[in-house]
Amino acid sequence: METKTYLNPKEPVIQKKITRKRSGVLQNFLKHKTLFLLGLPGILCFLIFKYAPMYGIIIAFQDYNPFAGISGSEWVGLEHFTNLFKDPDFFLILKNALVISLLNIVIFPVPIILALLLNELRSQIYKKIVQTIVYLPHFMSWVIIVSLTYLFFSSEIGLVNKAIEALGSGPLQFLFDSSYFYPLIVGQELWRSVGWGSIIYMAAIAGVDVALYDAAKIDGAGKLKQIWHVTVPAIVPTMIILFILQLGSTLDVNFEQLYLMQNPSNTHLSEVFETFVFKIGINGAEYSYSTAIGIFKSVVGLVLVLGTNYLANKKGHEGIW
């Protein structure tokens, strides 16, 4: 009879653990095979349209020629990344992206406040009407939202300026005065996203145990104290996860919004990586350089997500993993 010899005396134990783990994964798959099959189209879609195209990041390290293809293009290493940091417009674009992202983070609590207010409504009919009104802008394209902005704030036909003129004052150059640029884009983002962003918080609030509110009432807590001491702590994990995910897209701003709002008077504020990539990548055909910019943004987002998640776990909160 052949005897199996192990150089490491712990090897049989390790192999048993690996075998047990594999069998556990297989059992879990068989137990929930229906759920896995239901999720299969989404998984395949994610792999095909998210992971497979990542092969294209190779062109950031090449002098890519569409006619030669990836395999036939010249390899240039980190040249495009070096050119990016040497670009005189780089720090201006980086500053604009950070400022706009910071403004979007500042309005982060607004959907939370809206969800808390909606949760306190007792009339279901009124609640549904309000929800419909605040959710509706999310389904509008940025073309419509920017068109409405021009309709309201144009110096010639804008309804706001018409009202200002009716009060005896001259029209204000909302669209061509750079001092109004940030308030306009923040207002647009707030109007479009606040209702939709509150849905997740509404779902989190719905999962709060009613017994906690009953206990708070027995202790003499009013509505505000119930919200502060029961509702808010219950949705803190959701808030942290969404905040971490938002930080991951710090340098990602809305291309459609800024491109449509951009004009010669505010280019020094509205020029961000998305608009810059469009101009040099699509119009200028600098595919490798624009891909390098995309990788830089992704790396910054990854570092912020990992760092914020680490801090959240260190403080005793549950992060995204």
Side-chain angles (χ1 to χ4, degrees):
M1 183 177 179
E2 185 180 349
T3 305
K4 205 167 188 179
T5 306
Y6 294 97
L7 296 176
N8 185 351
K10 294 184 179 180
E11 191 170 345
V13 179
I14 295 173
Q15 285 196 348
K16 285 180 181 179
K17 288 183 178 180
I18 294 173
T19 305
R20 194 181 301 117
K21 186 176 181 180
R22 287 177 178 173
S23 62
V25 172
L26 181 60
Q27 288 177 359
N28 186 51
F29 175 78
L30 294 175
K31 181 180 178 181
H32 304 287
K33 60 182 179 181
T34 306
L35 294 177
F36 281 108
L37 289 174
L38 287 173
L40 185 61
I43 295 172
L44 290 176
C45 181
F46 198 83
L47 292 174
I48 293 171
F49 294 104
K50 295 294 183 180
Y51 278 93
M54 290 178 67
Y55 172 74
I57 66 175
I58 295 174
I59 69 175
F61 306 95
Q62 297 178 324
D63 187 9
Y64 179 67
N65 185 337
F67 299 101
I70 293 179
S71 59
S73 298
E74 181 185 357
W75 189 269
V76 295
L78 299 176
E79 179 182 332
H80 296 298
F81 294 93
T82 304
N83 293 336
L84 172 63
F85 296 124
K86 290 181 179 179
D87 195 315
D89 295 326
F90 171 73
F91 289 102
L92 173 65
I93 295 171
L94 179 62
K95 185 202 77 170
N96 291 341
L98 289 174
V99 170
I100 294 173
S101 297
L102 181 62
L103 291 173
N104 289 333
I105 292 174
V106 169
I107 65 175
F108 178 80
V110 180
I112 303 172
I113 297 172
L114 178 61
L116 293 172
L117 293 174
L118 288 173
N119 185 60
E120 295 303 317
L121 292 177
R122 291 295 169 259
S123 174
Q124 292 302 315
I125 296 177
Y126 182 66
K127 184 176 182 179
K128 289 179 180 179
I129 293 173
V130 173
Q131 286 178 315
T132 302
I133 293 173
V134 296
Y135 294 167
L136 187 60
H138 175 78
F139 300 98
M140 295 182 182
S141 70
W142 278 111
V143 175
I144 296 175
I145 292 175
V146 173
S147 299
L148 290 174
T149 303
Y150 275 82
L151 179 64
F152 277 94
F153 295 101
S154 171
S155 58
E156 298 177 355
I157 61 171
L159 299 179
V160 174
N161 271 316
K162 292 294 183 182
I164 293 174
E165 289 179 359
L167 295 173
S169 181
L172 299 176
Q173 299 293 329
F174 290 108
L175 301 176
F176 297 100
D177 186 345
S178 59
S179 61
Y180 294 108
F181 177 72
Y182 286 141
L184 284 176
I185 62 170
V186 170
Q188 289 174 341
E189 181 65 32
L190 189 63
W191 184 64
R192 186 176 189 266
S193 63
V194 63
W196 187 256
S198 66
I199 292 178
I200 298 177
Y201 297 108
M202 289 285 291
I205 292 172
V208 179
D209 191 352
V210 180
L212 296 175
Y213 293 106
D214 295 334
K217 290 178 183 178
I218 293 173
D219 290 337
K223 277 293 180 183
L224 290 178
K225 288 188 176 181
Q226 290 177 37
I227 292 173
W228 184 252
H229 294 288
V230 178
T231 310
V232 172
I235 64 174
V236 163
T238 304
M239 293 163 55
I240 291 175
I241 291 174
L242 292 180
F243 182 72
I244 292 174
L245 293 176
Q246 184 166 342
L247 283 180
S249 57
T250 296
L251 296 183
D252 293 327
V253 295
N254 198 295
F255 165 74
E256 294 92 339
Q257 178 191 20
L258 293 176
Y259 187 73
L260 292 170
M261 290 292 294
Q262 195 173 79
N263 59 57
S265 66
N266 60 33
T267 305
H268 63 290
L269 299 176
S270 60
E271 190 72 28
V272 291
F273 288 109
E274 282 75 8
T275 57
F276 185 66
V277 165
F278 176 77
K279 292 172 183 176
I280 67 169
I282 304 300
N283 297 338
E286 296 185 30
Y287 305 114
S288 296
Y289 189 42
S290 58
T291 304
I293 295 174
I295 293 176
F296 167 74
K297 289 171 49 185
S298 300
V299 170
V300 171
L302 178 62
V303 171
L304 288 173
V305 167
L306 293 177
T308 312
N309 187 73
Y310 171 77
L311 291 175
N313 291 331
K314 192 174 182 180
K315 294 294 182 180
H317 298 288
E318 186 178 351
I320 55 178
W321 65 81

